[in-house]
């Protein structure tokens, strides 16, 4: 399952990069993310409660940020498992200046297994896209001063 | 849906019931909702089991932590493979092939899981809800391993291995050769190749599996209630697994909401639940969920076949050479290896081939096991040979009917020995074909097709002239006895109890066996009760599968009645003051030959036999007999199916306009039951033809885990049926019956397939893979440019 997302921010790349690699921001902006605890350099344990295709469940997982090239790119690896099955994915994020703001391009590759794949496979891609869009939008709304032109 | 059926055959006066379309005595209780299924069995103090299942197709288990689950209030215990596997045996395969390799199949996973849904641990709790909640608290640390999914790639050198300890993904190879194949190919005017795929399908019985076990500590005995087709085979196999003697195990099969082969198995859960009931000394129950059913109850079909066909220009089919790969999944379940061998045996269909060579390779992959699903190997064979027949007609520009007629044996040639060594017991293939043409109004169909094509519509006609193998079967070809057992008891009141070991589970033999018994005893059917599905009552049995119950179980009952009649003649002779040799029996009465007016009926005789005051010397009290019927051969039902379809050019949607089936299942006991079996069989076959496909992704994840993703036919998908029959009795049993439970699933898929390809043929399309979903058909149309 491959998901792509593009989002334009009013904020410059440095600010976007800083927000996206900040665990506090990530925890607040990832839907259903209840906790995010640092376990090492750029590594975190996370607890999520999410529902896809009517299958709600708790997931425990790991998040790792790597290949950091501030302010233009980094890689986010995440994996989680829970009663509904497991998910894992890798997202490559590119941030380029655009006007006074920036443009974020995300290419994610994800896999799912167990019940979530068996009964949610039709919806999982759509749900993944929506989660990504919500996430990128929340980053902007909550942490990058919506209407940055003010 | 509407159905037109011929009138039932006129019955002779001595046959009041056989041949009559009687409603099922089973139905009122089922329709009123007062039937007892496994989940309806109420056991005091019952605890509930739920299984922790692998979300990975292939992974090693690094650790399992059950602490949190055990602490949940209401949880009685959590058990892993390490706790149970040595005490609950290994899952048996009853049909291993020589030289085959099979992994040890423990009831719970050991250090590795091999398919999505593989049971890893079992939770037992006071309620089902608590058990389910506790599942979430069992922490299993898996190390995923790349899964083996594509059976052809699995055969390549260097492929990852499903079971590394076997050193290969080949589970078995099996070959069959008859006639001189090389000579036949040399003799051929033409040779063509066909690659035919049979998709994996999920049986999806409306009632998932389930079982409950109760340990009687005082008696050291166990009762297992289970939704199965095979209580007797389970009673043979399970005791050794759980460590109790066979005579301490009673297996009860209450109502079963559909089996179709998927309950022709001894599954892990049955062994685990039995073990837990003993271990915990508490009745234990497990009811499979729908999603579990899709993932961990056996799947069917899943074959890839490369076929080479040698033909003469006059339409004679000389020989077939086939290489078949069967994707059998992770483990050998009870009959896994046997299923593709049936494809090989029946690949010649109802035709006189000169030579056949079939090589089958069973391949292990990280999927649920494949095993018997309604038709079991024969739908695959029929699809191959019936596609071949149409292909030959297309290749040579001949009429598909003429090609079939050219290659069929004549009715005078039976018993007919096939090139694969089977002896087809009886048949009149031409008569069934002729009748089907008549019922389908063949000339009118051709005209309709002509008109439709003139208008640019994609209209197709398909037929299949199938033969199948039923009444499995003689013990020499079966793993653990192929006989069937029956018992008949004339009670002291003159009422009759019939007990069958055949374990009907929805086929309606509580009705049809009563019909057989009523006619043979000459008594009203209302006086008969048929008992089934309990090893404490039906002492022996080999159960229901392979369309065997009536041919074998019905015959065992008839034999028992004949024994009772013979015995009773002695008693009647004493009462009538005549010699036993002068006593005759007809229509329920015993009388002295020539003086029918003075007769004695069962009521009086039963009373005398049990009260036992005036018995002739040497006459054992009671009127009861049981019989084992060992069949000399299988039976070979046949028929012709014809259907017309129209394909929507824009969407690829296939609509079946009319469906005609003429089935010959030998002597008919109850035409209404036969019609029901044929209708249901066609519906399931239509599913396989048009919509059903079990899909695993490249990581071995099951994507068709419930009815949202796995399409089965609904009422609106079922076309108008025109059903008919011919009756060619089988010489293999005294009733002359053959079996009909699988006929519909065997005859229909190739019939629909041929019709769809025929509809698409004006576009130059000669092949589309099953199932003919709108997407596949649409793509095939697009590839040809979509225009005429």
């Amino acid at each position: 399952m491959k998901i792509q997302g593009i989002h334009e921010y009013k904020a410059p790349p440095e600010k976007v990069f800083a927000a996206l690699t900040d665990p506090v921001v990530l925890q607040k902006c990832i839907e259903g993310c209840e906790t995010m605890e640092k376990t090492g350099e750029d590594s975190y344990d996370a607890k999520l409660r999410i529902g896809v295709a009517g299958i709600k469940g708790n997931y425990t997982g790991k998040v790792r940020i790597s290949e950091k090239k501030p302010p233009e790119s980094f890689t986010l690896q995440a994996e989680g498992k829970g009663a509904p099955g497991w998910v894992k994915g890798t997202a490559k994020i590119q941030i380029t200046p655009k006007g006074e703001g920036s443009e974020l391009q995300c290419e994610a590759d994800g896999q799912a297994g167990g019940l979530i794949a068996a009964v949610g496979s039709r919806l999982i891609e759509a749900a993944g896209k929506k989660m990504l869009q919500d996430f990128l939008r929340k980053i902007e709304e909550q942490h990058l001063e919506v209407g940055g032109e003010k | 849906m509407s159905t037109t059926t011929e009138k039932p055959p006129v019955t002779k006066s001595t046959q009041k019931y056989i041949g009559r379309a009687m409603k099922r005595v089973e139905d009122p209780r089922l329709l009123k909702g007062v039937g007892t299924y496994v989940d309806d069995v109420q056991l005091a103090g019952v605890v509930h089991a739920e299984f922790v299942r692998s979300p990975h197709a292939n992974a090693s288990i690094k650790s399992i932590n059950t602490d949190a689950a055990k602490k949940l209030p209401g949880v009685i215990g959590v058990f892993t493979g390490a706790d149970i596997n040595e005490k609950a045996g290994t899952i048996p395969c009853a049909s291993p092939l020589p030289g085959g390799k099979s992994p040890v199949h423990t009831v719970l996973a050991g250090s590795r899981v091999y398919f999505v849904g593989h049971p890893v641990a079992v939770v037992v709790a006071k309620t089902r809800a608590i058990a389910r909640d506790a599942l979430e608290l069992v922490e299993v640390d898996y190390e995923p391993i790349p899964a083996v999914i594509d059976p052809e790639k699995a055969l390549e050198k260097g492929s990852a291995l499903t079971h590394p300890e076997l050193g290969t993904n080949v589970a078995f190879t099996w070959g069959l050769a008859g006639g001189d194949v090389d000579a036949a190919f040399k003799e051929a005017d033409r040779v063509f190749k066909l690659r035919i795929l049979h998709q994996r399908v999920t049986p999806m019985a409306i009632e998932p599996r389930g079982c409950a076990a109760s340990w009687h500590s005082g008696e050291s005995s166990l009762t297992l209630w289970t939704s199965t087709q095979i209580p007797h085979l389970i009673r043979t196999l399970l005791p050794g697994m759980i460590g109790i003697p066979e005579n301490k195990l009673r297996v009860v099969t209450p109502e079963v909401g559909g089996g179709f082969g998927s309950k022709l198995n001894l599954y892990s859960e049955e062994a685990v639940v039995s073990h837990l009931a003993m271990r915990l000394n508490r009745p234990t129950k497990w009811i499979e969920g729908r999603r579990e059913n899709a993932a961990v109850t056996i799947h069917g079909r899943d074959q890839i076949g490369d076929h080479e066909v040698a033909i003469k220009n006059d339409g004679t089919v000389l020989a077939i050479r086939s290489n078949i790969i069967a994707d059998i999944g992770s483990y050998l379940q009870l009959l896994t290896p046997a299923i593709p061998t049936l494809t090989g045996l029946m690949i010649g269909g109802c035709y006189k081939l000169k030579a056949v060579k079939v090589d089958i390779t069973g391949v292990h992959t990280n999927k649920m096991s494949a095993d018997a699903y309604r038709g079991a190997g024969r739908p695959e064979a029929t699809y191959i040979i019936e596609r071949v027949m149409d292909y030959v007609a297309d290749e040579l520009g001949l009429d598909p009917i003429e090609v079939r007629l050219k290659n069929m044996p004549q009715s005078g040639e039976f018993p007919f020995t096939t090139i694969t060594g089977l002896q087809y017991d009886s048949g009149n293939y031409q008569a069934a074909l002729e009748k089907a043409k008549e019922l389908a109004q063949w000339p009118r169909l051709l005209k309709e097709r002509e008109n439709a094509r003139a208008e640019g519509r994609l209209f197709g006609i398909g037929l299949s002239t199938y033969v199948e193998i039923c009444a499995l079967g003689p013990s020499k070809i079966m793993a653990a006895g192929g006989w069937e057992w029956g018992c008949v008891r004339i009670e002291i009141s003159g009422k009759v109890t019939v007990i069958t070991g055949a374990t009907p589970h929805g086929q309606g033999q509580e009705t049809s066996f009563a019909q057989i018994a009523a006619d043979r005893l000459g008594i009203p059917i209302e006086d008969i009760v048929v008992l089934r599905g309990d090893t404490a009552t039906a002492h022996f049995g080999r159960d229901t599968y392979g369309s065997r119950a009536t041919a074998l179980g019905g015959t065992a009952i008839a034999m028992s009645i004949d024994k009772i009649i013979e015995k009773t003649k002695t008693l009647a002779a004493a009462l009538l003051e005549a010699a036993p040799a002068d006593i005759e029996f007809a229509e329920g009465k015993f009388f002295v030959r020539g003086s029918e007016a003075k007769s004695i009926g069962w009521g009086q005789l039963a009373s005398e036999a049990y009260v036992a005051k005036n018995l002739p010397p040497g006459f054992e009290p009671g009127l009861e007999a049981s019989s084992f019927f060992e069949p000399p051969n299988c039976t070979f039902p046949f028929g012709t199916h014809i259907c017309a379809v129209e394909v929507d050019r824009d969407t690829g949607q296939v609509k079946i306009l009319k469906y005609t089936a003429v089935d010959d299942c030998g002597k008919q006991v109850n035409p209404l039951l036969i019609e029901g079996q044929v209708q249901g069989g066609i519906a399931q076959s239509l599913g396989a033809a048009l919509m059903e496909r079990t899909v695993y992704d490249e990581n071995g994840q099951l994507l068709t885990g419930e009815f949202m993703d796995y399409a089965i036919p609904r009422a609106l998908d079922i076309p108008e049926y025109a059903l008919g029959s011919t009756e060619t009795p089988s010489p293999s049993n005294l009733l002359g019956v053959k079996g009909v439970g699988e006929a519909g699933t065997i005859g229909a898929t190739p019939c629909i397939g041929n019709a769809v390809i025929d509809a698409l043929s004006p576009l130059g399309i000669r092949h589309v893979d099953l199932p003919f979903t709108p997407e596949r058909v649409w793509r095939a149309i697009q590839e040809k440019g979509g225009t005429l």
Side-chain angles (χ1 to χ4, degrees):
Chain A
M1 175 183 65
K2 292 194 194 304
I3 299 173
Q4 291 174 330
I6 294 182
H7 200 89
E8 287 184 19
Y9 293 101
K10 302 274 171 23
E14 290 75 12
K15 272 188 107 166
V16 175
F17 186 94
L20 283 167
T21 51
D22 178 348
V24 178
V25 176
L26 289 178
Q27 191 258 313
K28 284 184 180 161
C29 296
I30 296 172
E31 190 181 306
C33 183
E34 289 167 351
T35 63
M36 194 139 164
E37 284 166 20
K38 190 171 172 120
T39 54
E41 181 65 24
D42 288 330
S43 296
Y44 307 93
D45 275 355
K47 281 198 159 96
L48 283 91
R49 180 164 180 80
I50 44 179
V52 175
I55 307 156
K56 281 206 174 66
N58 295 314
Y59 295 80
T60 56
K62 295 183 192 309
V63 178
R64 203 165 81 85
I65 294 167
S66 61
E67 299 175 83
K68 275 165 70 171
K69 278 193 211 158
E72 60 203 47
S73 68
F74 66 95
T75 299
L76 189 79
Q77 283 166 293
E79 57 177 76
K81 60 178 183 177
W86 55 266
V87 288
K88 67 177 182 185
T90 303
K92 287 191 182 298
I93 290 162
Q94 288 275 346
I95 307 162
T96 48
K98 186 162 190 185
E100 288 179 11
S102 46
E103 182 183 86
L104 177 144
Q105 288 194 1
C106 173
E107 287 201 10
D109 193 357
Q111 285 153 14
L115 187 59
I116 195 166
V119 307
S121 56
R122 282 167 298 108
L123 304 169
I124 217 165
E125 196 165 323
K129 274 184 184 154
K130 184 176 176 297
M131 280 175 72
L132 178 66
Q133 279 163 8
D134 287 351
F135 168 71
L136 296 173
R137 202 189 64 243
K138 276 191 191 169
I139 292 272
E140 176 162 40
E141 284 170 2
Q142 298 188 14
H143 301 280
L144 295 171
E145 304 161 53
V146 177
E149 66 266 32
K150 267 186 230 165
Chain B
M1 183 184 78
S2 68
T3 303
T4 50
T5 308
E6 308 162 277
K7 281 182 194 155
V10 180
T11 53
K12 291 180 209 155
S13 64
T14 50
Q15 293 208 322
K16 288 182 186 155
Y17 298 108
I18 290 180
R20 242 166 79 181
M22 299 188 74
K23 285 188 179 174
R24 306 198 319 168
V25 296
E26 296 92 332
D27 285 340
R29 68 173 188 260
L30 299 177
L31 294 171
K32 286 180 201 160
V34 295
T36 303
Y37 293 85
V38 168
D39 204 14
D40 298 318
V41 173
Q42 299 291 326
L43 301 168
V46 71
V47 294
H48 300 267
E50 288 285 334
F51 289 82
V52 176
R53 297 187 180 279
S54 169
H56 298 282
N58 196 4
S60 59
I61 297 175
K62 285 156 73 183
S63 65
I64 304 176
N65 186 343
T66 60
D67 294 347
K70 282 176 178 161
K71 282 182 196 144
L72 188 73
V75 169
I76 289 153
V78 183
F79 307 90
T80 65
D83 304 320
I84 282 188
N85 284 348
E86 286 188 4
K87 299 177 184 101
T90 54
I91 299 301
C93 171
S95 56
L97 292 170
K101 293 193 173 188
S102 68
V104 177
H105 188 176
T106 52
V107 294
L108 296 179
S111 59
R112 191 162 162 164
V113 290
Y114 295 98
F115 62 97
V116 166
H118 198 158
V120 170
V122 58
V123 172
V124 184
K126 283 182 180 167
T127 68
R128 200 177 287 171
I130 294 172
R132 289 203 176 169
D133 284 349
L135 292 182
E136 293 200 26
L137 302 175
V138 177
E139 288 170 38
V140 186
D141 193 5
Y142 298 97
E143 178 77 44
I145 302 164
V148 178
I149 297 304
D150 181 325
E152 289 182 292
K153 286 186 185 154
L155 292 174
E156 288 170 5
K157 247 191 172 166
S159 164
L161 297 176
T162 311
H163 298 281
E165 74 277 16
L166 301 182
T168 173
N169 285 319
V170 175
F172 56 84
T173 56
W174 183 86
L176 172 74
D180 189 336
V181 180
D182 292 336
F185 272 82
K186 262 184 212 148
E187 191 191 334
D189 293 328
R190 294 176 194 220
V191 170
F192 63 86
K193 291 181 180 180
L194 261 182
R195 182 175 167 88
I196 292 178
L197 310 184
H198 285 275
Q199 79 274 28
R200 181 173 277 246
V201 293
T202 310
M204 292 287 198
I206 195 165
E207 181 211 20
R209 291 185 293 124
C211 56
S214 193
W215 175 245
H216 317 293
S217 58
E219 294 83 6
S220 296
S221 69
L222 187 84
T223 304
L224 173 68
W225 292 263
T226 181
S227 183
T228 187
Q229 298 171 224
I230 52 163
H232 294 92
L233 298 183
I234 288 177
R235 188 165 181 264
T236 301
L237 295 164
L238 185 60
M241 296 168 64
I242 56 173
I244 60 170
E246 182 187 3
N247 53 9
K248 293 285 189 182
L249 175 65
R250 174 183 173 196
V251 182
V252 184
T253 299
E255 305 290 359
V256 175
F260 315 116
S262 73
K263 294 172 183 170
L264 166 50
N265 244 299
L266 175 48
Y267 285 97
S268 290
E269 294 86 354
E270 286 162 326
V272 170
V273 166
S274 297
H275 168 73
L276 289 173
M278 293 163 66
R279 183 172 183 149
L280 302 170
N281 194 18
R282 296 186 71 165
T284 307
K285 188 190 258 190
W286 166 74
I287 300 297
E288 188 183 51
R290 173 55 57 196
R291 290 162 181 172
E292 276 183 307
N293 181 265
V296 304
T297 289
I298 63 98
H299 295 155
R301 319 279 191 257
D302 212 351
Q303 291 184 5
I304 301 169
D306 284 299
H307 313 282
E308 232 181 322
V309 187
I311 61 172
K312 299 289 279 181
N313 281 338
D314 66 357
T316 304
V317 179
L318 297 169
I320 298 181
R321 198 153 45 195
S322 299
N323 252 307
I324 295 172
I325 293 172
D327 181 348
I328 61 160
S330 52
Y331 284 116
L332 304 183
Q333 283 280 355
L334 196 64
L335 297 173
T336 297
I339 307 308
T341 68
L342 285 171
T343 307
L345 283 167
M346 297 303 294
I347 204 162
C350 59
Y351 307 108
K352 299 168 75 170
L353 305 188
K354 277 190 167 176
V356 160
K357 187 173 189 308
V358 183
D359 288 293
I360 293 171
T361 307
V363 183
H364 280 302
T365 56
N366 290 113
K367 300 176 191 169
M368 181 57 201
S369 307
D371 202 326
Y373 170 57
R374 201 171 187 178
R378 293 99 93 202
E380 296 91 317
T382 309
Y383 195 79
I384 294 162
I385 188 68
E386 290 305 305
R387 280 297 301 132
V388 163
M389 287 295 149
D390 264 30
Y391 214 88
V392 171
D394 188 39
E395 186 84 8
L396 300 172
L398 299 173
D399 176 354
I401 288 184
E402 290 313 312
V403 172
R404 284 171 170 82
L405 286 171
K406 185 158 195 65
N407 289 284
M408 279 176 183
Q410 301 299 316
S411 63
E413 292 180 65
F414 290 88
F416 174 74
T417 303
T418 71
I419 201 70
T420 59
L422 297 172
Q423 196 187 71
Y424 288 176
D425 54 347
S426 63
N428 188 343
Y429 303 153
Q430 293 82 356
L433 172 58
E434 208 41 55
K435 189 156 190 181
K437 276 175 69 180
E438 199 181 297
L439 260 182
Q441 298 175 286
W442 185 258
R444 207 174 106 182
L445 276 188
L446 294 180
K447 188 76 196 155
E448 276 180 56
R449 180 172 68 182
E450 193 185 321
N451 293 342
R453 284 184 179 170
E455 292 167 20
R457 283 154 50 211
L458 299 175
F459 186 104
I461 304 171
L463 82 154
S464 78
T465 48
Y466 74 91
V467 62
E468 57 153 331
I469 180 169
C470 281
L472 298 166
S475 295
K476 63 177 188 283
I477 62 163
M478 307 297 285
W483 43 264
E484 193 46 83
W485 179 88
C487 174
V488 175
R489 193 158 69 220
I490 317 287
E491 306 283 5
I492 194 165
S493 61
K495 300 281 183 189
V496 173
T497 302
V498 170
I499 307 168
T500 177
T503 318
H505 53 275
Q507 294 82 357
Q509 276 112 343
E510 284 178 51
T511 309
S512 58
F513 284 6
Q515 289 177 262
I516 292 169
D519 274 356
R520 219 165 180 88
L521 289 166
I523 60 169
I525 198 165
E526 295 76 17
D527 287 351
I528 299 171
V529 165
V530 176
L531 302 179
R532 38 106 8 229
D534 183 344
T535 62
T537 322
H539 299 146
F540 305 97
R542 293 291 89 172
D543 307 317
T544 286
Y545 54 89
S547 303
R548 69 194 300 274
T550 305
L552 307 187
T555 301
I557 288 160
M559 288 165 67
S560 302
I561 291 170
D562 291 351
K563 286 180 191 169
I564 293 173
I565 290 170
E566 248 348 272
K567 176 184 175 179
T568 309
K569 279 182 180 171
T570 312
L571 179 59
L575 296 172
L576 292 167
E577 296 172 345
D582 293 331
I583 299 296
E584 292 211 342
F585 173 76
E587 297 189 42
K589 305 273 184 221
F590 290 84
F591 51 89
V592 180
R593 187 175 303 115
S595 47
E596 273 185 57
K598 195 181 165 200
S599 66
I600 319 181
W602 287 112
Q604 190 188 341
L605 287 159
S607 168
E608 293 284 355
Y610 288 97
V611 173
K613 306 285 187 212
N614 301 308
L615 299 181
F619 188 92
E620 232 180 85
L623 291 180
E624 184 193 54
S626 60
S627 306
F628 288 82
F629 173 53
E630 171 64 34
N633 188 9
C634 298
T635 62
F636 295 86
F638 57 91
T640 295
H641 288 203
I642 293 174
C643 80
V645 304
E646 185 158 354
V647 176
D648 185 317
R649 185 187 296 268
D650 297 325
T651 64
Q653 181 83 42
V654 175
K655 184 172 169 56
I656 297 175
L657 303 171
K658 186 178 181 183
Y659 199 100
T660 303
V662 170
D663 295 276
D664 190 321
C665 57
K667 179 82 184 153
Q668 299 201 350
V669 177
N670 184 332
L672 188 64
L673 295 188
I674 290 165
E675 186 183 314
Q677 288 294 324
V678 170
Q679 284 198 19
I682 295 171
Q684 265 177 320
S685 189
L686 182 155
L690 299 182
M691 52 191 85
E692 296 185 37
R693 188 163 74 102
T694 306
V695 182
Y696 283 91
D697 75 6
E698 68 279 10
N699 300 314
Q701 291 298 328
L702 178 68
L703 301 185
T704 45
E706 60 177 12
F707 285 126
M708 287 294 283
D709 299 282
Y710 188 85
I712 62 166
R714 290 176 284 193
L716 284 175
D717 297 310
I718 306 303
E720 181 191 343
Y721 288 132
L723 303 180
S725 59
T726 54
E727 246 189 45
T728 311
S730 170
S732 298
N733 59 72
L734 58 86
L735 297 174
V737 303
K738 289 193 169 186
V740 74
E742 295 157 291
T745 35
I746 291 166
T749 305
C751 178
I752 296 167
N754 282 337
V756 173
I757 303 292
D758 182 54
L760 298 173
S761 63
L763 302 174
I765 294 168
R766 296 186 79 189
H767 180 78
V768 180
D769 284 331
L770 287 167
F772 304 107
T773 58
E775 183 199 349
R776 286 192 177 188
V777 173
W778 182 85
R779 283 187 194 284
I781 294 171
Q782 297 310 303
E783 274 170 29
K784 294 288 179 184
T787 49
L788 286 168

